[in-house]
């Protein structure tokens, strides 16, 4: 197994800590998962910079510190079943898989799901199920979920996702118009309803309706 050189890995982890990713389990997961496996082509040599980068289908792999902060805010426990909407490169799902019992991740682009599944197999992650689906509707067959993370921006937290969150569960979702600064929201479901906290400004690609037109 090849990973980044020790010094590059140290800088990568230092950048995460300096941007507020302090949870030891999250840092451990991000140390274990090589972001270089999820970035292809001309941007591959920038995989260890704290920047979003282009991937196939006009999408992006999120900035590592944003992945870290969202994961940290989810407060995942080893028994959790997690849903991610927006597989993209698969990087965020791989981090989740290190922390949770089981991860379901969906993307509207079949090509991205295929590529992500190849990386999961390559690095030996067996507790992720990646599928092609419109994640706005969640994954009713596997619901409810302990944790839900949406990695594309919605105008509002989608109703089906709220319905598929367990009581006591946490959902992270960027909310706002596409191409503008959005707000990362943490939703907590209690016995009596939903509490919403604004975490920080973020910028994600939009959550789109329907499936992508690729094979
Ligand atoms: N989490 C990813 C980055 C996601 S980019 C990573 O770690 O690399 C956002 C992704 O959301 C894109 O791949 C896009 O295709 C997907 N997406 C957008 N709308 C969607 C929808 N309605 N259902 C499922 N996936 C969607």
């Amino acid at each position: 197994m090849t990973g980044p050189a020790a010094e590059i890995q140290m800088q990568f982890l230092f950048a995460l800590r300096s941007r507020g990713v302090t949870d030891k389990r999250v840092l451990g997961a991000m140390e274990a998962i090589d972001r270089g496996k999820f970035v292809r082509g001309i941007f591959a040599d920038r995989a260890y910079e704290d920047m979003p980068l282009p991937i196939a289908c006009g999408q992006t792999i999120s900035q590592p510190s944003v992945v870290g902060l969202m994961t940290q805010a989810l407060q995942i426990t080893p028994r959790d079943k997690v849903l991610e909407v927006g597989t993209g490169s698969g990087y965020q799902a791989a981090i989740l898989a290190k922390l949770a019992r089981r991860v379901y991740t969906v993307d509207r682009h079949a090509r991205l799901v295929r590529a992500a599944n190849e990386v999961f197999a390559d690095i030996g992650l067996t507790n992720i199920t990646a599928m092609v689906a419109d994640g706005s509707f969640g994954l009713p067959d596997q619901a409810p979920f302990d944790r839900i993370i949406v990695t594309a921006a919605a105008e509002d937290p989608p109703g089906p996702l709220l319905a598929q969150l367990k009581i006591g569960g946490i959902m992270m979702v960027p909310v706002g118009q596409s191409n503008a600064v959005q707000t990362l929201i943490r939703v907590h479901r209690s016995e009596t309803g939903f509490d919403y906290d604004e975490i920080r400004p973020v910028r994600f690609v939009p959550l789109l309706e329907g499936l992508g037109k690729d094979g």
Side-chain angles (χ1 to χ4, degrees):
M1 263 211 11
T2 58
E7 192 182 326
I8 289 175
Q9 175 82 319
M10 257 173 58
Q11 283 168 4
F12 179 75
L13 293 169
F14 180 80
L16 292 174
R17 277 194 218 96
S18 69
R19 297 197 160 106
V21 184
T22 52
D23 184 294
K24 288 214 170 53
R25 289 185 68 233
V26 174
L27 286 168
M30 295 187 75
E31 187 170 1
I33 298 294
D34 180 2
R35 190 170 183 249
K37 297 266 183 200
F38 298 87
V39 183
R40 308 214 170 152
I42 54 168
F43 292 101
D45 60 345
R46 307 186 70 171
Y48 308 105
E49 294 176 25
D50 191 26
M51 287 183 27
L53 295 171
I55 57 172
C57 304
Q59 304 304 315
T60 52
I61 176 171
S62 311
Q63 189 175 348
S65 57
V66 172
V67 170
L69 290 168
M70 285 178 85
T71 307
Q72 182 167 282
L74 275 176
Q75 299 172 18
I76 294 171
T77 75
R79 289 163 54 188
D80 286 347
K81 180 164 76 169
V82 182
L83 172 66
E84 179 194 31
V85 175
T87 311
S89 68
Y91 179 62
Q92 170 76 73
I95 310 270
L96 297 170
K98 282 279 168 193
L99 299 168
R101 177 172 56 83
R102 174 111 228 135
V103 176
Y104 293 89
T105 179
V106 299
D107 204 289
R108 56 192 292 282
H109 286 291
R111 181 175 165 196
L112 293 175
V113 170
R114 235 177 2 248
N117 270 325
E118 279 169 19
V119 184
F120 301 149
D122 177 36
I123 62 178
L125 288 175
T126 54
N127 62 334
I128 309 182
T129 305
M131 310 184 247
V132 181
D134 180 347
S136 321
F137 300 103
L139 207 52
D141 288 354
Q142 299 300 335
F145 298 96
D146 300 287
R147 303 287 187 264
I148 298 177
I149 176 171
V150 186
T151 61
E155 285 186 22
D156 292 299
L161 296 183
L162 292 171
Q164 290 171 29
L165 187 62
K166 278 189 195 169
I167 290 172
I170 300 173
M171 170 159 83
M172 300 300 297
V173 53
V175 170
Q177 303 292 325
S178 53
N179 301 321
V181 172
Q182 306 132 5
T183 306
L184 180 61
I185 306 278
R186 179 171 52 202
V187 184
H188 179 255
R189 182 167 197 176
S190 69
E191 297 274 354
T192 51
F194 297 92
D195 301 316
Y196 299 85
D197 288 306
E198 293 188 7
I199 304 297
R200 52 170 271 160
V202 283
R203 181 173 283 206
F204 278 86
V205 297
L207 189 73
L208 298 174
E209 278 178 23
L211 299 184
K213 290 188 177 36
D214 59 308

